[in-house]
Amino acid sequence: MELLDFARGPALTVALAIFVLGTLWRLAGVLLLPRLRDLSPAREGAPPAWLGGLRTVLRRMWPRPEFAQATLFMTVNSYVFHLGLALVVFGLAPHILFIRKLSGLHWPSLPSNLVYAVGVVTLASLLAVLARRLTHPVMRLLSHAGDYVSWLVTALPVATGLLATAHLGARYETLLALHLLSIAAFLVWFPFGKLMHAFLFAFSRAATGMRFSHRGVKV
């Protein structure tokens, strides 16, 4: 129980603090970037800038036709594990209870068996991402340690959660502790690795509708 108490207490508390402060620091960095002077002011009656930004975001959620066939696997697989992660995180009853304790927000949960099945598919999708990164010559050349760390801290919570749910490999208390520690690792890494794109993409392109100089920003 000592490991579980540590995971539930100090580990998650410190990880959440780093996650919040680190995320705010990165977002503040985007806000403080110099804004480019608009050399082509919008015509009278033109739609607001934020609407154009949102339209661009939606348009780029699928590759251009000339690249669609070559990138079909990565595009579909990316949607599978992103949507799968969202359903697992926000659909499982214990996760909703955890969020409720933190923020007071809550909503109906999905059936546990459904979330478990989605978790299996999500883990398989993440393994496919890793396999492609390791075998595709261009992706292997472009990948660095941070890419593999981001993959690891994303996959571990899914894997340990599935093991804890199925009671496989160790006592439930140990598996739950490992699951919570993997979540803590995810939260600590999130603001400083490429996972931060989840916030930076929406924040810098959709939410503000402003034009920033993105020099040095990993989005």
Side-chain angles (χ1 to χ4, degrees):
M1 289 298 292
E2 290 183 2
L3 181 62
L4 182 55
D5 290 338
F6 170 74
R8 281 175 168 168
L12 273 181
T13 301
V14 172
L16 282 168
I18 294 174
F19 171 78
V20 172
L21 294 175
T23 299
L24 291 175
W25 173 67
R26 292 294 303 276
L27 294 179
V30 173
L31 281 175
L32 294 174
L33 286 170
R35 300 181 186 179
L36 298 177
R37 186 166 62 91
D38 192 352
L39 301 178
S40 56
R43 297 187 301 272
E44 185 177 353
W50 67 266
L51 184 59
L54 180 59
R55 187 164 52 241
T56 299
V57 169
L58 294 176
R59 188 169 60 245
R60 293 181 181 178
M61 291 180 71
W62 194 261
R64 295 175 63 87
E66 54 266 31
F67 304 119
Q69 185 173 357
T71 61
L72 182 62
F73 169 78
M74 287 302 297
T75 300
V76 173
N77 198 53
S78 294
Y79 276 104
V80 169
F81 77 76
H82 279 93
L83 293 175
L85 284 173
L87 289 175
V88 170
V89 172
F90 298 110
L92 190 64
H95 294 168
I96 297 172
L97 180 61
F98 176 74
I99 295 171
R100 183 175 185 176
K101 288 181 178 179
L102 285 178
S103 64
L105 300 174
H106 63 96
W107 47 85
S109 63
L110 296 173
S112 298
N113 289 338
L114 173 62
V115 177
Y116 185 83
V118 171
V120 171
V121 173
T122 302
L123 184 59
S125 177
L126 286 167
L127 290 172
V129 169
L130 179 63
R132 182 171 175 82
R133 186 176 291 278
L134 291 172
T135 57
H136 193 282
V138 176
M139 293 189 68
R140 188 172 66 247
L141 180 65
L142 296 176
S143 299
H144 54 79
D147 295 311
Y148 295 107
V149 173
S150 294
W151 180 90
L152 184 64
V153 299
T154 302
L156 278 179
V158 181
T160 54
L162 291 173
L163 290 174
T165 302
H167 300 270
L168 291 175
R171 294 178 56 199
Y172 175 75
E173 292 80 8
T174 301
L175 293 171
L176 180 58
L178 293 176
H179 180 56
L180 293 174
L181 289 174
S182 67
I183 293 172
F186 175 89
L187 293 172
V188 169
W189 176 256
F190 186 97
F192 310 107
K194 287 188 175 180
L195 297 176
M196 186 63 190
H197 77 273
F199 284 165
L200 287 181
F201 181 83
F203 184 77
S204 62
R205 286 178 169 85
T208 63
M210 299 177 182
R211 299 174 63 191
F212 290 104
S213 168
H214 290 281
R215 188 179 299 114
V217 180
K218 295 180 180 179
V219 294

